[in-house]
Amino acid sequence: MADRSIHVLGLRCRKPLFLFFGFVALLFAFSWFYFFGFAAAGRTIVGRSVLPSSRSFPSWKVPVVRRWSWPAIKTGSTRGAIRKSAAEAQHRYWLTLDLLSSRFGDRRGPCIAVRVMDSREADVVFVPFFSSLSYNRHSKVTPPMKESTNKMLQNKLVQFLVSQEEWKRSGGRDHVVMAHHPNSMLDARMKLWPCVFILSDFGRYPPTIANVEKDIIAHLQAYVVRTFENDSSGFDDRRTLLYFQGAIYRKDELYYLLREEKDVHFSFGSIQANGIKDSTRGMRSSKFCLNIAGDTPSSNRLFDAIASHCVPVIISDDIELPYEDILDYSKFCVFVRTSDALKKNFLLKLIRGISKEEWTRMWERLKEVEGYFEFGYPSQKNDAVQMIWQAVARKVPEIKLKLHRHKRFSRFDVDR
């Protein structure tokens, strides 16, 4: 445990979007070439990361372990790939960008996560593998290949990590791995399970591989709709009682229960054409917004409702929520069991029973918490990036306990 804190300020840039895409291009190219051996030339740099003290936490240390190769990079093709995947993948770069900028002497604002150059000084090891991007772009098998590039990259990731001294010291218990898409780490997760996974939910993960005691649930995607700035639309201004627009399959029972209600909007929609604008307009003019489990227990619709200050009505029996150890979602969300929601008139009776005063309290709370789910660079106090690092910090004592127990009989682990 470190006694010192590391003082870092923020990066000043007149063109933050250009800087962001420049960083993203370099990060993806570096991680690709570094982890998977696609380049051999160039000098070697060893980077580590850290979590230093803030007002709420003692000095936590968190390293990034990697030996960067510096190959010749075709930035045009790399930037093009990132732009095509930006809507789904941008958010995965915020943590890495935050760590890289933590060493900048002119960084602006608070800095929770800071890189250290010696992994022995660190509390956790951050693994910058962009698993969802790999899955979305490389999961198909292209003949004459017999396995996908995504699977090959996961295998190379495992081979690299387990060969490192940092892994051998801890058995991977202090490694932090991000995996947003539920299928993004299908192969590697079975071998990297001692790590701390940062996930959007535990859907499709066996409980022995990922669970709330070991891992972190985080909001890993930027808002699809825009944040409702200067929102003065009170209870009486929002004419629609309950709003849902999206894929209706798997939700048809609820659809047939609600479709005839005059103050309920329940319809099919997508992000195509004007889908996002329609959803933004609909959520901002509604008192309550339905959040229903889809392919997995969670949905990004919850966070779009928060950004729209539309009180979320969560129907998902197995949902895990980001930072619930410090956030009381019952103060700004309504929870309904799936079995109850399918009872005739139960849902509407529950919602209509919420008074104007109670709704207004939840609406005010939504405006207070929306910043916790917003990503930015450089990170700001209690934004999504810092909330994730704080969640990592809260796992450190348990990680230390596991490591200390692991070392009890280490002196006997010799070749016989």
Side-chain angles (χ1 to χ4, degrees), residues 61-287:
K61 294 183 179 178
V62 188
V64 179
V65 177
R66 66 184 82 162
R67 293 180 178 84
W68 291 118
S69 290
W70 294 72
I73 303 170
K74 295 181 179 179
T75 54
S77 61
T78 303
R79 290 179 64 186
I82 289 169
R83 283 175 179 171
K84 291 176 183 177
S85 302
E88 192 277 336
Q90 271 185 11
H91 55 278
R92 269 179 290 287
Y93 296 91
W94 297 120
L95 293 181
T96 309
L97 288 173
D98 197 58
L99 289 172
L100 291 176
S101 68
S102 69
R103 305 288 295 191
F104 296 168
D106 60 346
R107 174 171 167 137
R108 207 176 38 218
C111 185
I112 291 180
V114 179
R115 301 172 74 201
V116 291
M117 305 311 293
D118 187 344
S119 66
R120 292 170 297 182
E121 297 180 0
D123 289 315
V124 302
V125 180
F126 180 73
V127 180
F129 176 62
F130 306 131
S131 58
S132 295
L133 186 61
S134 176
Y135 173 80
N136 282 308
R137 296 191 60 80
H138 302 294
S139 58
K140 293 183 179 180
V141 178
T142 305
M145 296 177 63
K146 295 184 178 180
E147 67 177 11
S148 68
T149 300
N150 176 53
K151 185 174 182 179
M152 180 194 70
L153 295 178
Q154 290 185 56
N155 290 335
K156 286 183 175 289
L157 170 68
V158 173
Q159 293 171 12
F160 170 80
L161 286 178
V162 299
S163 68
Q164 300 303 299
E165 187 60 35
E166 290 80 9
W167 182 281
K168 294 175 181 177
R169 284 202 301 259
S170 69
R173 294 170 179 84
D174 58 356
H175 285 50
V176 177
V177 177
M178 294 184 67
H180 179 246
H181 194 286
N183 293 334
S184 63
M185 296 285 281
L186 281 177
D187 298 289
R189 68 190 183 189
M190 305 305 290
K191 300 171 183 176
L192 300 181
W193 63 266
C195 298
V196 175
F197 290 117
I198 302 180
L199 306 168
S200 55
D201 63 39
F202 295 125
R204 304 181 192 174
Y205 273 74
T208 54
I209 301 299
N211 54 74
V212 71
E213 287 76 23
K214 177 177 74 73
D215 304 304
I216 294 168
I217 296 297
H219 173 52
L220 295 178
Q221 184 163 323
Y223 292 132
V224 175
V225 305
R226 291 183 179 274
T227 303
F228 195 174
E229 298 180 358
N230 303 316
D231 175 18
S232 60
S233 61
F235 185 87
D236 296 325
D237 299 313
R238 294 180 175 240
R239 300 297 184 182
T240 303
L241 175 69
L242 183 62
Y243 182 89
F244 176 88
Q245 184 161 311
I248 295 178
Y249 63 93
R250 300 191 193 90
K251 309 169 183 70
D252 52 347
E253 290 184 73
L254 200 56
Y255 169 71
Y256 289 119
L257 284 173
L258 300 174
R259 63 176 180 170
E260 301 296 336
E261 300 294 331
K262 293 183 180 180
D263 53 356
V264 173
H265 176 95
F266 198 127
S267 69
F268 176 82
S270 69
I271 62 173
Q272 305 300 322
N274 294 319
I276 295 177
K277 289 184 178 179
D278 291 343
S279 292
T280 301
R281 191 181 307 112
M283 288 183 174
R284 291 182 178 184
S285 60
S286 302
K287 296 178 178 67

Side-chain angles (χ1 to χ4, degrees), residues 30 33-34 38-46 67-73:
F30 289 166
F33 282 93
Y34 164 63
F38 291 166
R43 58 177 178 164
T44 296
I45 294 179
V46 180
R67 293 180 178 84
W68 291 118
S69 290
W70 294 72
I73 303 170

